[in-house]
Structure formats: C-alpha cells, structure tokens
Amino acid sequence: MAEQISVTLPGSVKKSIPRGTKLQELADEATVAAQINGSVVDLSQTIEKDASVSFISINSKKGFEILRHSAAHVMAQAVKELFPTAKLTFGPSTDTGFYYDFDYDRPFTPQDLEMIAKRISEIIKEDLPFVRREVSKEEAIETFREMGETYKVEHLEDLADHVSLYRQGTFLDLCEGPHLPSTGRIKAFRLLSVSGTYWRGDARNQVLQRIYGTAFPDAKGLEDYLYMLEEARKRDHRKLGRELDLFSLQDEAGPGLVIYHPKGAMLRTILEDFEKREHVKRGYQIVIGPQLLRLDLWKQSGHFENYREKMYFTKVEDAEYGIKPMNCLAHMLIYKSQIRSYRDLPLRYFELGTVHRHEKSGELHGLLRVRGFTQDDAHILCRPDQLNDEICAIIDFVDDVMKVFGFEYEMELSTRPEKSIGSAEDWERATQALLQALKGKGLAFDINEGEGAFYGPKIDVKLKDALGRKWQCATIQADFAMPERFDLTYVGGDGERHRPAMLHRVILGAMERFIGVLIEHYGGAFPVWLAPVQAVLMTVTDRQIPYAEKICRHLIQKGIRVERDFRNEKLGFKIREAQLQKVPYMLVIGDREEKEGTVSPRKRSGEAMKAIRIEDFIAQVESEYPTL
Ligand SMILES: [Zn+2]
Ligand SMILES: [Zn+2]
C-alpha cells in the first residue's frame, strides 16, 4: 500500500491520501486545473508530498483563461492538419476569447475558417488528453527545428534551460500550461475573425495571420456573448455617430481629431453644462488655462522627461512651447500666484481642459481613442490632513454621476510604474491615502501593480455599460511630487511654510470617450435630458403651419430642443424618420390639436399619448431630467 501524505484543502480541511494521487481524483466536475502550494498546475499532475491544494473552476476568471487558451491549442492543431505549411507562433487567451498567430502565405478566408471550425469540433469529440512533458531547452529546440517551427525555435532561445511541451493527439506545442484535462472539455466555441499582424507586434517583421475565436463552458454563455457582439455592432458609436449626424473624423483634418456636428456639439454642451453645475455645487472653482506653455515648465514638471513621446511641440518667436497633454500646470501657477494660508485650503480648480496626446495611429479608434480631447479635469490642493476627506468626496461625486447615467462601476488601485518621479516615501504616503479612503468607504477594489501615473498612484473607476462592457472613466491620483517640483506652499497655523498635497482627478474622463460610451450604452436613444433634439413638431397638413410655428417658438423659449418637420409628406413617413433619428418625442399637430390648443405626443417607442396642452408637455419633459 502506498505511503499516505496529508493535503490541506480550501477551508483548512486536512485529508490523508496515498502519495502519487492525481489531482483529478480530488476534483469535482467543474474543475479544470489546480494549485499546489499556490502554483497553478494541470489536473493530471500527481501529489508527491504534503501540500496545500486548491482547485480552479471553469467558471472562474482563471478557468475561462485555461479553457480559452486550450481552445487556441486545438485551433492550432486543426490549422496545422489542414494547412501543413502554416508555422506556429503564439496563441494566448484574451479577456473575451483567444487567438493564434500563424505564418501562412495568404490570409485565411471565411471558407478556411469553416473548415477549421469543423475540424476543431472533431478534435473536441475525440476528447484527446493534453499531455505535459518537461524537457531541456536543447531537446525542445531540436524537436521544433525538425518540425520546421522556426518561430518556436526563435522563442526558445529566450527561454530558461527547462521548458514544457504539451501534446494533444499528434499536435505538439511549446507552452507553460496549464490546460484542460482533455479537448472534450471545450463545450462551446466559435471562430470569429481573421486579421493581419506582425511577428512580435513589430511592423518590420514578418506578417502573420491571426485567427480570433472564443470559447465558453456552455452553449448559453456563447450565445449570450454572440448576442452581445451583435448588439455592440449595431450600437457602434462610429456608425451611430454618422447616422445621427453627431460627429465625424476626417482624414483631411487629421487622424484622431474629432469634428463635432451641431447635434454632437449640443450633446457635449449639455454634458459640459451639467458638469459645471455639479462642480460649482461641490465647491470647485472653474479655471481656464492656455493650450501652449513654455517648454521649461514641462521640464520642471517632469512631463518632458517622462511623457515627451506623447506630446506635441511648437516654436513661437524662437521660444519653445509644449502643447498641453494635461491640465495640471496652469492650475499650479494659479495656486502659486498668491500666498496661501492653511485656512484657504482645500482649493479645487476645475477645467474642461482640452489636451493633445500623440497616440499611435494604429491605436486610434473612433471617439474612444483620439489625439485631441477634453477632460473634466480638476486639481485639488489641500493640507495632508484633508486628503482623506477630499478623496472620499470625489468617490461620492463619481457615485452620484454614475447613477445619473445608469452605470454600474468597479474600482482599481494602480501603484508606482517603472518610469516615475518622487521619493519612495511620497509614493507610499500617496498610495496609503488612496487605500485608506477605499477601505474607509468599504469599497471593493482590485490592485494593478505598476499601472499608476508617473507622478502618483491612482484609483481608476471602470464603468459597466448596458452590454456589460467595462470602460475607464474617473481617475483619482494622489501626488506629492508635483507640489515639490513647483515649490507650492501654504502658511500653517504655526506661521511656517508647509507643502500641500495635490489630487488630480477626472469624473467622466475624456468627454470624447465618454460620449462614445454613452452613444453605445444608449444605442443612440439618449434620455430626454441628453437628447440633442428632444422633440420634432409634425404637421398633418400645411394648414397647421402657422399654429405649429407658434408652438415651436414657445417651446424654444422654454428651453426645449425642438425641430420642425412641416414638409408636405405623409405623417407615417415623418414619424418613421424621427424614430430612426431616435428623437424622444414627436408632437403631432392636426386640425383638432389646433382647434383645442394642444399637441399629440408620440414616444420614439411608438407609443401614442393623449393630446395635451403644451404647458403639460413641457412639464412632462422637465420631469424626466435627473435630480442631483
Ligand atoms: Zn498552452
Ligand atoms: Zn493633473
């Protein structure tokens, strides 16, 4: 009988098992991998000595990664069988699925994808085990060289002396693992698209063909995801931006530079007015800084040293200037323009600040990633003892605003990156300030190591839209370095000079990006308070035009955003058009409405309301505004 060893299972449960027991034997059906003393391993691994063991469910984040990454191996097997001259490179999982990059002499076609998918289904049915083998680097290089897998050989050269290989059926890949126990555990998959890329992401290298796919633990998960993709396609803000005539991005003007058309500019103005009101209510002062500031100032702030690649520069009368990528500098100059007392603090400067950043052209995407954008930016200068209250107030502000738009959100704390300024002590203080505020409010959050700004750690808020997608919006950054660099001080109660703490924060983030997210979140059907056009007035015949004009003037005067449709067209046609434009209300005016001094509203959903007096309609619209 085998010697017994002791394993500690989750919940400190101890269990005695024979040495050499496979993890598989301890796992339940939903388990796809395990952890022995914290390191993730395949279920086929045996337990050789006392250890703590935990299991990874296919329904966890890590479980999804393992499932999808295993699916990438299966896809690569199918591709190699069908296209033997294709060479393997890398095949990782992603947040939503997986891909594998192949060196092949032409792009894969939709017909190819169908064949590959068919073969994948067969491999899944064969239920092939994923078998791990640990070998020396030399042996692995020899093996892949014989197979003609030159990219694997190149990659191996960067690796340590011992590597692991995985085989399912006749297919062999270099990989750390872990993987599913067998291919049969892939219950639902779909190949999605093909695109070109480069070896190691470098445009000077060989072009590769990337096949994207996704996999789920069950058919329902896959169906929901495909539905979400289809919805996202319909709601694409670039498509809706064109159809609703909100904005354009034109090559003539330059990539990543947004041109707001009247309706888009109205939407942005509504958001900006909302922001100004809410900031003033919360004790912020509105300020406005210049677009260009002297280069010397950017050197002093550390931007030149740490942020230069993203900045634009220009020369004016032999003096060098940087076009601002952030709004902090002018705000610090305002602070410095007077002697500040501890009684003056906190000072909260708010600016709808337009900035320019050089994003790579390949990374530009509609309104979501642009080169010129406006932030709802603020800098708070306060005493160190006020920091916690200020951070908490910002978190409350974010919460209020997210509720207005119907967004749920999550928080993350990002810590010191490699490229940064300031002392270790300052970073620790700043990180603690954010951490304490999050903990004090009892909020759940994730930690992103090394993802902070170059001048300080930050709290990032990710909102969740109607399709469950996450988008970065608010950030709160604590900074002790910038006040130091600009020698900002205040006179304390003791008559001495002290250093204020500084918070950089945005609530919506970049207006462009937020508008892009809003368009997709609402599918272009904005709530009444945001709709660039709130109502379209429609005449049934030309006879009602004078009355309709009078109503129109009245509505405009009352601040209702209204358009006229007095064309000599059928009413049904006018209604359909306004519905396509997603206008919240259509106000129909016929002889009866004129005689009774009313309008007959219809909602964009198609619901017809009873005829009402115009004052009642105005009250109806106003009742739909958010209260904060
Ligand atoms: Zn793998
Ligand atoms: Zn700033």
Side-chain angles (χ1 to χ4, degrees):
M1 195 177 143
E3 187 194 336
Q4 294 285 305
I5 56 170
S6 163
V7 292
T8 311
L9 298 168
S12 306
V13 178
K14 295 229 190 264
K15 193 171 178 180
S16 173
I17 54 164
R19 177 192 302 277
T21 300
K22 274 193 181 176
L23 284 161
Q24 181 82 69
E25 294 167 39
L26 303 175
D28 67 11
E29 258 177 29
T31 302
V32 286
Q35 285 181 299
I36 298 184
N37 295 331
S39 45
V40 185
V41 294
D42 296 317
L43 284 185
S44 57
Q45 184 125 333
T46 56
I47 314 170
E48 298 299 336
K49 53 183 184 218
D50 292 359
S52 76
V53 171
S54 62
F55 296 98
I56 296 170
S57 159
I58 196 160
N59 294 309
S60 67
K61 188 165 176 255
K62 189 76 199 160
F64 268 70
E65 278 172 33
I66 293 169
L67 164 69
R68 288 164 173 174
H69 170 70
S70 302
H73 277 253
V74 173
M75 179 172 77
Q77 176 182 355
V79 168
K80 285 294 289 188
E81 289 177 2
L82 294 165
F83 308 93
T85 58
K87 286 186 186 178
L88 302 172
T89 69
F90 291 122
S93 65
T94 65
D95 283 350
T96 53
F98 62 86
Y99 65 80
Y100 209 115
D101 290 345
F102 303 93
D103 179 359
Y104 191 55
D105 53 17
R106 62 166 177 80
F108 293 105
T109 63
Q111 289 76 10
D112 295 337
L113 283 200
E114 261 177 53
M115 278 164 57
I116 296 165
K118 199 166 152 257
R119 183 63 196 127
I120 293 173
S121 297
E122 290 164 8
I123 298 168
I124 291 172
K125 272 213 195 83
E126 290 165 22
D127 197 19
L128 306 170
F130 286 91
V131 182
R132 178 186 176 95
R133 192 158 74 88
E134 284 166 36
V135 297
S136 70
K137 179 161 143 177
E138 287 69 38
E139 185 183 340
I141 290 179
E142 194 48 41
T143 305
F144 284 108
R145 189 171 283 142
E146 271 172 25
M147 291 162 63
E149 297 293 355
T150 48
Y151 295 91
K152 293 287 171 189
V153 173
E154 186 183 330
H155 177 50
L156 270 161
E157 281 163 5
D158 301 337
L159 297 184
D161 288 344
H162 292 277
V163 296
S164 52
L165 306 182
Y166 277 86
R167 181 184 293 281
Q168 85 266 9
T170 56
F171 178 79
L172 185 73
D173 206 343
L174 169 69
C175 192
E176 285 183 5
H179 299 96
L180 299 172
S182 63
T183 59
R185 296 292 298 273
I186 301 169
K187 297 297 181 199
F189 79 95
R190 180 69 66 92
L191 298 187
L192 296 169
S193 61
V194 181
S195 71
T197 181
Y198 300 99
W199 170 235
R200 295 192 191 275
D202 187 333
R204 291 166 298 187
N205 289 344
Q206 175 64 37
V207 174
L208 303 175
Q209 306 302 330
R210 174 173 296 181
I211 304 180
Y212 283 100
T214 192
F216 283 84
D218 54 46
K220 170 84 169 56
L222 178 62
E223 263 167 44
D224 289 351
Y225 177 71
L226 294 174
Y227 171 78
M228 194 279 290
L229 275 190
E230 175 60 17
E231 260 314 286
R233 200 187 53 75
K234 280 192 228 153
R235 290 167 180 236
D236 188 316
H237 71 280
R238 295 166 298 182
K239 176 174 165 277
L240 285 172
R242 213 167 30 244
E243 290 170 6
L244 304 180
D245 196 18
L246 298 171
F247 68 91
S248 59
L249 288 143
Q250 302 181 23
D251 269 348
E252 267 177 285
L257 301 169
V258 182
I259 300 171
Y260 287 90
H261 297 203
K263 286 174 191 164
M266 178 53 81
L267 174 59
R268 176 162 154 185
T269 304
I270 295 161
L271 285 171
E272 290 188 352
D273 289 349
F274 166 75
E275 290 241 65
K276 286 179 189 164
R277 254 190 341 264
E278 293 305 320
H279 277 83
V280 170
K281 252 164 59 181
R282 288 170 171 80
Y284 288 80
Q285 295 172 290
I286 297 174
V287 298
I288 301 171
Q291 274 323 113
L292 311 180
L293 293 101
R294 280 188 194 280
L295 187 62
D296 289 340
L297 214 54
W298 295 112
K299 286 184 175 164
Q300 193 181 344
S301 66
H303 282 85
F304 188 73
E305 196 188 324
N306 294 282
Y307 207 74
R308 190 175 13 184
E309 321 80 74
K310 289 221 168 171
M311 287 181 66
Y312 298 98
F313 298 95
T314 187
K315 224 175 197 180
V316 184
E317 291 176 350
D318 285 339
E320 299 214 62
Y321 288 80
I323 298 173
K324 68 172 172 173
M326 297 186 196
N327 304 298
C328 337
L329 265 52
H331 298 194
M332 282 188 291
L333 297 183
I334 298 168
Y335 182 89
K336 256 185 102 115
S337 66
Q338 285 182 36
I339 294 173
R340 306 292 177 180
S341 146
Y342 70 97
R343 286 192 217 90
D344 301 332
L345 303 183
L347 284 166
R348 308 183 188 96
Y349 298 134
F350 170 66
E351 176 170 7
L352 284 160
T354 300
V355 297
H356 287 82
R357 295 182 187 171
H358 180 200
E359 303 291 351
K360 294 200 189 97
S361 41
E363 287 171 6
L364 299 173
H365 179 85
L367 293 180
L368 302 178
R369 194 165 276 239
V370 291
R371 286 185 176 156
F373 56 96
T374 300
Q375 295 176 301
D376 60 338
D377 203 0
H379 294 91
I380 297 173
L381 289 138
C382 65
R383 303 192 307 262
D385 64 286
Q386 295 170 321
L387 203 49
N388 192 275
D389 283 352
E390 289 302 311
I391 297 169
C392 290
I394 298 168
I395 294 174
D396 290 341
F397 195 173
V398 171
D399 188 64
D400 287 348
V401 170
M402 290 300 116
K403 277 192 193 125
V404 166
F405 297 99
F407 289 125
E408 286 178 38
Y409 60 90
E410 291 169 1
M411 305 229 181
E412 292 173 1
L413 178 67
S414 300
T415 58
R416 184 170 198 166
E418 250 171 61
K419 225 177 172 187
S420 57
I421 58 171
S423 69
E425 195 194 355
D426 283 349
W427 274 88
E428 181 55 27
R429 272 168 70 204
T431 308
Q432 282 305 322
L434 296 173
L435 204 57
Q436 290 318 316
L438 284 171
K439 284 188 178 160
K441 289 200 119 345
L443 295 168
F445 59 93
D446 287 332
I447 293 190
N448 287 332
E449 295 291 347
E451 294 291 317
F454 74 84
Y455 46 79
K458 57 178 181 165
I459 294 172
D460 285 322
V461 181
K462 299 221 161 118
L463 64 80
K464 257 195 198 159
D465 72 10
L467 300 182
R469 296 171 302 175
K470 289 180 201 167
W471 305 95
Q472 166 79 51
C473 59
T475 67
I476 309 168
Q477 304 171 352
D479 178 6
F480 293 95
M482 216 66 95
E484 188 80 36
R485 290 201 164 214
F486 283 85
D487 193 25
L488 305 186
T489 59
Y490 66 90
V491 179
D494 54 4
E496 301 287 321
R497 288 178 171 272
H498 298 270
R499 193 71 76 206
M502 182 166 176
L503 291 170
H504 310 243
R505 47 105 288 185
V506 294
I507 303 289
L508 304 183
M511 303 301 280
E512 280 69 13
R513 188 184 167 76
F514 192 76
I515 288 171
V517 172
L518 279 186
I519 293 170
E520 299 198 2
H521 176 63
Y522 294 123
F526 300 107
V528 167
W529 77 282
L530 284 174
V533 178
Q534 296 173 310
V536 183
L537 275 169
M538 293 174 186
T539 46
V540 177
T541 70
D542 288 350
R543 274 196 308 278
Q544 296 95 34
I545 291 177
Y547 171 70
E549 281 289 4
K550 207 177 90 199
I551 294 282
C552 185
R553 277 194 301 277
H554 184 68
L555 286 170
I556 289 170
Q557 254 183 2
K558 292 288 180 177
I560 306 292
R561 299 184 290 273
V562 60
E563 266 185 2
R564 304 169 174 81
D565 189 349
F566 300 166
R567 291 175 300 171
N568 189 8
E569 297 281 358
K570 287 225 164 60
L571 187 61
F573 174 81
K574 295 185 189 185
I575 288 171
R576 264 193 309 282
E577 216 164 73
Q579 277 174 327
L580 283 175
Q581 284 297 305
K582 305 183 194 279
V583 177
Y585 287 105
M586 289 139 241
L587 302 178
V588 179
I589 297 174
D591 282 338
R592 195 171 57 100
E593 283 81 8
E594 177 169 4
K595 196 164 134 251
E596 294 169 2
T598 59
V599 292
S600 290
R602 294 174 69 96
K603 294 188 176 173
R604 63 186 153 202
S605 59
E607 183 195 336
M609 297 162 67
K610 272 198 225 108
I612 52 174
R613 303 184 57 80
I614 200 67
E615 295 309 328
D616 294 331
F617 174 71
I618 293 167
Q620 165 73 31
V621 168
E622 282 167 356
S623 74
E624 293 178 48
Y625 275 60
T627 46
L628 240 188

